[in-house]
């Protein structure tokens, strides 16, 4: 009996020892990441292709931005601000400090976590400014400035001598020819799409590095609101540049696929269990948090509140987006 009891106890202990180890643990938030990946691919693509169906003719470059897009962008700004300050930033600081402790790096004379956060901020800033520098026209030379001054003097003289007996010839009423996109305009559009695509990879990386369904859904909400508004604005900008619909659809497909690519990369990095993998994950989280800071403070808020229209509704929606994420964090969804 004793031997039988001991054998039974040993087999039970063996089962208890091996069963948890053999069963693979499902990664936290993997189902939510897959669903977010599909949403981040389909919804921005639909918002980017909608202007192609709505506008038979390309909109004028002087047409104002849609107020609906501005209000949605303000709400997305509040979601981004709360997600960054209340969710991503605390998780990043705890993650990078735990990774440094695992590597026995405990005493640093340099603020490394804050420096990584700033590098994420400057990464997007440099990328965007280099792209905008390629789009800016070159400064006029001295000869061009002198020609403009001469034309201004001639036009003033012609106004003063308007009472001469020889009237100017009539202007022929010829319908304007629609402009054809130049090679330089196509290059500028390509650089803009490339910058936004790399930007989207960093945004998707922030989602892929999250653990838990709640964190994944919060970041997914922020990205969906922002990317849908950006996709519609980008499509309108490309149509105003008189690009062909096929080229616009190709650009929107490239833009839509970048965030899911970032989600996949972040999920692969988050699966690492070693101390170096955790340090790499912490660094990428810091870069992603810096990206969120840049989007909020240098992209959404200055662009929307710099226009003197709908100021009070914009503030209300900004606070509403912030309050939404705050409530989600408070009730621990």
């Amino acid at each position: 009996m004793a031997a039988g009891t001991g054998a039974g106890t040993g087999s039970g202990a063996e089962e208890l020892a091996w069963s948890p180890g053999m069963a693979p643990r499902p990664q936290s938030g993997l189902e939510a990441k897959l669903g977010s990946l599909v949403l981040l691919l389909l919804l921005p693509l639909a918002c980017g292709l909608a202007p192609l169906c709505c506008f038979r003719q390309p909109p004028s470059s002087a047409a104002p931005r849609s107020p609906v897009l501005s209000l949605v962008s303000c709400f997305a700004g509040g979601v981004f601000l709360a997600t960054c300050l209340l969710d991503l930033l605390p998780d990043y600081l705890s993650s990078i400090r735990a990774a440094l402790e695992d590597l026995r790096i405990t005493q640093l004379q340099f603020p490394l976590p804050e420096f990584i956060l700033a590098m994420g901020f400057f990464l997007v800033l440099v990328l965007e400014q280099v792209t905008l520098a390629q789009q800016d026209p070159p400064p006029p030379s001295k000869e061009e400035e002198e020609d403009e001054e001469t034309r201004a003097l001639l036009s003033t003289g012609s106004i003063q001598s308007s009472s001469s007996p020889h009237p100017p010839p009539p202007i022929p009423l010829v319908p304007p020819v629609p402009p054809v996109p130049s090679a330089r305009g196509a290059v500028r559009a390509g650089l803009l799409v490339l910058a936004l695509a790399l930007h989207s990879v960093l945004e998707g990386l922030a989602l892929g590095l999250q653990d838990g369904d709640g964190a994944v859904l919060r970041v997914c909400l922020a990205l969906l609101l922002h990317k849908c508004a950006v996709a519609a604005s980008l499509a309108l900008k490309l149509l105003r540049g008189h690009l062909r619909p096929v080229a616009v659809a190709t650009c929107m497909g490239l833009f839509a696929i970048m965030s899911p690519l970032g989600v996949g990369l972040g999920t692969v990095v988050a699966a690492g269990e070693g101390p170096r993998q955790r340090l790499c994950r912490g660094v990428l989280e810091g870069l992603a948090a810096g990206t969120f800071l840049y989007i909020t403070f240098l992209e959404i808020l200055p662009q929307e509140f710099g226009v003197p229209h709908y100021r009070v509704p914009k503030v209300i929606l900004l606070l509403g987006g912030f309050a939404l994420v705050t409530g989600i964090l408070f009730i621990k969804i």
Side-chain angles (χ1 to χ4, degrees), residues 49-60:
L49 296 179
L52 293 176
C53 303
C54 297
F55 295 100
R56 295 182 178 178
Q57 296 180 352
S60 172

Side-chain angles (χ1 to χ4, degrees), residues 204-225:
L205 191 66
L207 191 150
L209 292 171
Q210 300 302 308
D211 283 332
D213 293 341
V216 171
L217 292 177
R218 288 190 295 269
V219 178
C220 180
L221 174 63
L223 291 182
L224 279 177
L225 291 172

Side-chain angles (χ1 to χ4, degrees), residues 116-142:
I116 295 173
L117 184 70
M119 287 302 100
F121 182 90
F122 285 120
L123 176 63
V124 187
L125 176 64
V126 171
L127 179 64
E128 186 175 88
Q129 292 304 313
V130 168
T131 305
L132 293 178
Q134 298 296 325
Q135 295 182 354
D136 293 338
S141 61
K142 294 183 179 180

Side-chain angles (χ1 to χ4, degrees), residues 219-289:
V219 178
C220 180
L221 174 63
L223 291 182
L224 279 177
L225 291 172
H226 179 64
K227 279 186 65 67
C228 288
V230 170
S233 300
L234 177 62
L236 291 174
K237 185 175 183 62
L238 294 178
L239 287 175
R240 288 169 180 171
H242 303 281
L243 292 181
R244 296 179 179 178
V246 176
V248 175
T250 303
C251 293
M252 298 314 303
L254 177 64
F255 173 73
I257 203 173
M258 286 296 111
S259 283
L261 178 62
V263 173
L265 292 176
T267 304
V268 171
V269 174
E273 295 295 336
R276 294 183 180 180
Q277 287 79 4
R278 286 194 290 270
L279 179 61
C280 179
R281 173 183 173 180
V283 171
L284 293 177
E285 284 180 351
L287 295 177

Side-chain angles (χ1 to χ4, degrees), residues 2 9-10 24 39 54 57 73 110 121 126 128 131 140 146 170 184 188 220 223 240-241 246 252 291 293 300 314 332:
T9 305
L39 290 176
C54 297
Q57 296 180 352
S73 183
F110 182 77
F121 182 90
V126 171
E128 186 175 88
T131 305
E146 293 176 357
R184 185 176 179 85
R188 289 177 179 177
C220 180
L223 291 182
R240 288 169 180 171
V246 176
M252 298 314 303
T291 300
L293 282 177
I300 297 178
K314 287 179 180 179
K332 298 294 183 182

Side-chain angles (χ1 to χ4, degrees), residues 5 23 29 36 50 60 139 161 181 229-230 307 312 318:
T5 305
S36 300
S60 172
S161 59
V230 170
V307 180
V312 176
L318 179 70

